[in-house]
Each structure stands twice: as C-alpha cells, then as structure tokens.
Amino acid sequence: MAKSTKSFKKSTSTSKNAGCGCGSIPISLIFVLLGVGAYGFTRLGDLNLTHHLGQWIPEQVSEAIPWRPGHRADTPVTSPPVEDIVKITVPSTTSEVPSAGTSIPQAPQDSTTLPATETATPPPPTAPENTPQTPWTQKEIRGIYLSRYQATNNADEQTIRERVRYYKAQGFNTIIHGVWGNGCTMYPSPVMQQTFGYRSCPNQFQDQWLNWLIDEAHQHGMQVHAYFEKGIKLDENSPIFDEAIENRWIIPGVDKTYPEVDHYLLDVESPAVASFFNNILAEFVQQYPDIDAVQWDDYLGYHEDLPGKVDRTAQLTAFVQQLKATMKTANPNVSFDLCHHNPYWGKRYFAADWENWTVDRAFIQVYNDDNFQAELAYAEQYSGVAITEHQLHRLDELLNNNNIDSILIFPASGQPQEAAALVNAAVE
C-alpha cells in the first residue's frame, strides 16, 4: 500500500512543477471550471465512468473507494468466484427453496475450469477390505434342509426369524424348507380347499410363517428354497389318501423303497393328478413371488420293484417338463431344482430320466457313504452334492474340491439345529 501511494503522489507533484499556463486564465473561468468538475465528480457513477476510471487506479487504492464496482448497494453480484459456485447445490429441503425470481448460479459445464484442489462431487468412499473367504464360504450354496414339520407347533414370528438368524450364524446361506409333503401343503392353499375341501395339511402353523422366513432370510442375504418333500408319494396318514384311492389317482402296489413306511404313488399320467400338481405349483410361486427356488427330491420317481414292472419313464419326464413350464409361466424368476440319485441310478431304478427334465439345478444325493467316490464323480458334473451330518468326515474333501460348487446338508437325525452346529464346528 505504501509503495502505490508514493507513486500516486509523485505523479501529482511532477504535474505541478511542469506548469500548465494557468496564470493566463481568467479567475472567473477557473471558478466555473472548478464548479463543473466538482459536480461531475459527484455524478461519475451515473455517467458510467467508474468502470473506466477504476482501470487506471491501483488495486490497493481502489479498495478504499466506496463507489468502486461491486461496492454499490444497488449493484448485484452476477459472477461469484468459481469456488463459491461449486459449493452451491440444489436445495434439499423446502426451507431452502429460494423465493420466486431468485436464480441459482450454475456450475460451469467444463470441469477443467474448476480449481485443481476442488471437485464438483466428493470422491466415492473407500470400499472396505474384503474378508478373506474360507473354502466353506466360497461354495455357491451352503444349504440346510428343514423338514415341513419345522413349521409346526404354531411357531410365531419371533421364533421363525430367530431360526433364520441362527442358521446364518452357523455359516449357511440357504434354507431349504419343506412346504409340501404327503399329498398336502404346509401353507394355506386355495387349490387344496377347492380340490379337497380343506386348505392344507392338518399340522398347525401360522399362516404367515413362510413370509416371515423369506423376509428375514433376504434381509441377511440368504435364500429360501421351497422343498417339495415326498413329491408324488404319500402314505395312509395323508389327508388325501381316501380321495386318491376313490378317484383312482394311485397306481397299483406299494413302494417299499424305505422299509419303515409303506408309500403309495400318484399316477402322473392321470390328467387330474397332473392338473392338481400344476395348479399347486403355479399357485405357490404366485402366492410367494419372492421365493428363490423350489426343489424336488428322489421321491419324484417310480421304483423298479413296483408290481407290474411298468416303465413309466416317458410319462414322468413329460409330467416334470410340463410342471416346470407351468411354474416358469407363473413366475419365471424361480429356479426349478432337483436333488436326486445320480442320473444312472435315477433312470435305471426310479424311472427318473432327470437329465431330460431340463431342471435348472441338479444336486446329487450321496447319503450312501460306501459308494462316496463314485457318487462324487457325478456331483462334480452338476450343481453340487447333498450329504448328511453323519458324513462330516467327508467335508474337508468336498471343501477343497473346486469342482463341487455347492454343499447341502440333510439332517438325517431330524435335528437340524444340532446338525448346523456340527457343520459350523467342522469348517472353522
């Protein structure tokens, strides 16, 4: 400031020493000129001369002049600095909405005009480091089966949700829960009501149990697969047994694949049976549109020892293909899965030529530990393997096998919580 002021004074004194010939001008004219000059000086702002004059006044001096551009109260700021423009954002609440006629300065379109230290938007947050995956968590599906009876005894919402969180804590990402078995549903079904006069199996359950289960699982990044236990088989305790006998829905003979229970098989070649199953499955995936998959098991088959030795392979294939097509029409987002014997055994002994069923995923049951290695070769070619909690000594082998994409645990003892804890301890 001192240097500029000195320069300004110096130029003034120089003018005085040089002279201007004022002595020859009449005094009256001098007074007139001084009056006009004083008047004009006070009107510089109106004459729009301040802009031009300001260009010739040193910056430090001009800051002290009240009429310099930008200091007039009636002169709006039309070009805020770039750093101020960057900070201006669209109001996010109604209290910040400007009054009518107020214009919001816009940031320049060319981002290169922004200061090097400023950015139009904050940088994205740093992604958290990924927790190293274990061989167990690397498996695509880590599923555990819960029988349809797990939903009985009127389990309330809290119990259902706590159950989901428990299996999540044990390292599972999929719950395969029974929703059908022994010829009836474990959820309220209009199709059952219309066909047989009652809406479900006689077991007690809360109507919303499956909705709670799906909701809680999805909140924790888990999937829920609906397990259609027993498939086309039923026993004398089935609520539809008498009607099935009367309507000739059952093929002749008794299935003694599992000696503990005499099973009877529904005839999928019957149009009424086929229609019933198609209606049930379409209803289910529409009633529970967020279900991730449905899964059928080895009870979808006709054992070779049935009387008459009738080959029902072609009929069963046509039935399943239609069943899947019906489900996909009703809800194309649901996966149609199967957990069955290996394809050779399935076709040879159960009329289940499932390689031609066009299922979405196939898991191989390896519950017979004596034939484990031969079964494992099949499982490597498909979506994964299912074992029981009695085969956890095989778990390391499965975990370290990169050709096994998924592992399903079937609690053969009927105690899924205990089975899950054993698995969790084995993989730690």
Side-chain angles (χ1 to χ4, degrees), residues 105-152:
Q106 299 298 314
Q109 297 297 315
D110 185 1
S111 60
T112 59
T113 62
L114 299 176
T117 58
E118 297 281 343
T119 56
T121 56
T126 304
E129 295 184 2
N130 293 327
T131 303
Q133 287 189 311
T134 65
W136 171 243
T137 56
Q138 288 175 0
K139 297 303 178 183
E140 179 181 351
I141 297 176
R142 306 183 302 278
I144 186 162
Y145 287 90
L146 291 143
S147 168
R148 63 194 185 278
Y149 297 111
Q150 298 297 320
T152 57

Side-chain angles (χ1 to χ4, degrees), residues 88-384:
I88 296 174
T89 57
V90 177
S92 58
T93 63
T94 55
S95 61
E96 298 174 352
V97 176
S99 59
T102 302
S103 61
I104 301 176
Q106 299 298 314
Q109 297 297 315
D110 185 1
S111 60
T112 59
T113 62
L114 299 176
T117 58
E118 297 281 343
T119 56
T121 56
T126 304
E129 295 184 2
N130 293 327
T131 303
Q133 287 189 311
T134 65
W136 171 243
T137 56
Q138 288 175 0
K139 297 303 178 183
E140 179 181 351
I141 297 176
R142 306 183 302 278
I144 186 162
Y145 287 90
L146 291 143
S147 168
R148 63 194 185 278
Y149 297 111
Q150 298 297 320
T152 57
N153 300 322
N154 281 324
D156 59 16
E157 181 175 2
Q158 181 179 352
T159 300
I160 295 291
R161 292 183 182 276
E162 287 178 350
R163 182 178 300 156
V164 173
R165 294 193 290 270
Y166 172 80
Y167 292 112
K168 173 68 175 181
Q170 303 307 313
F172 291 90
N173 66 5
T174 303
I175 292 175
I176 310 164
H177 207 303
V179 300
W180 159 274
N182 213 16
C184 56
T185 63
M186 285 298 296
Y187 59 88
S189 165
V191 172
M192 286 288 300
Q193 182 70 47
Q194 180 179 356
T195 307
F196 296 106
Y198 34 84
R199 64 174 196 158
S200 68
C201 295
N203 306 83
Q204 293 182 334
F205 55 84
Q206 299 283 343
D207 284 356
Q208 296 299 313
W209 76 269
L210 187 52
N211 288 322
W212 298 331
L213 182 71
I214 295 171
D215 177 67
E216 188 69 26
H218 286 178
Q219 287 187 41
H220 295 281
M222 303 175 71
Q223 289 196 4
V224 178
H225 297 184
Y227 182 27
F228 280 73
E229 293 181 78
K230 285 199 172 186
I232 58 175
K233 296 185 181 183
L234 48 82
D235 59 46
E236 292 181 356
N237 292 322
S238 169
I240 74 167
F241 181 77
D242 291 338
E243 287 91 342
I245 293 292
E246 182 179 350
N247 295 325
R248 298 188 178 183
W249 281 19
I250 293 176
I251 66 172
V254 178
D255 185 325
K256 292 186 175 294
T257 306
Y258 299 94
E260 296 84 2
V261 182
D262 288 345
H263 281 118
Y264 301 84
L265 287 97
L266 297 169
D267 184 3
V268 299
E269 197 172 0
S270 164
V273 171
S275 177
F276 173 66
F277 272 98
N278 277 273
N279 291 337
I280 283 288
L281 190 54
E283 170 193 72
F284 177 79
V285 297
Q286 290 176 330
Q287 190 165 317
Y288 301 97
D290 294 328
I291 196 76
D292 297 289
V294 299
Q295 186 185 116
W296 303 79
D297 62 9
D298 57 315
Y299 280 81
L300 200 55
Y302 295 98
H303 197 273
E304 68 161 356
D305 288 338
L306 286 167
K309 300 293 183 180
V310 178
D311 184 1
R312 295 180 172 86
T313 303
Q315 292 89 336
L316 186 59
T317 296
F319 167 76
V320 177
Q321 288 176 345
Q322 181 59 55
L323 196 62
K324 179 192 172 185
T326 299
M327 188 200 80
K328 292 292 186 178
T329 299
N331 189 339
N333 298 320
V334 181
S335 182
F336 189 98
D337 297 351
L338 180 73
C339 187
H340 215 293
H341 301 290
N342 72 64
Y344 171 79
W345 282 82
K347 184 177 181 180
R348 170 67 176 79
Y349 295 103
F350 295 93
D353 185 17
W354 59 256
E355 286 185 307
N356 288 317
W357 289 359
T358 65
V359 299
D360 292 318
R361 288 180 297 211
F363 304 92
I364 306 300
Q365 290 184 6
V366 193
Y367 302 155
N368 183 359
D369 203 60
D370 294 336
N371 203 32
F372 186 83
Q373 292 303 325
E375 298 282 3
L376 191 60
Y378 285 106
E380 291 175 347
Q381 302 175 42
Y382 297 96
S383 300

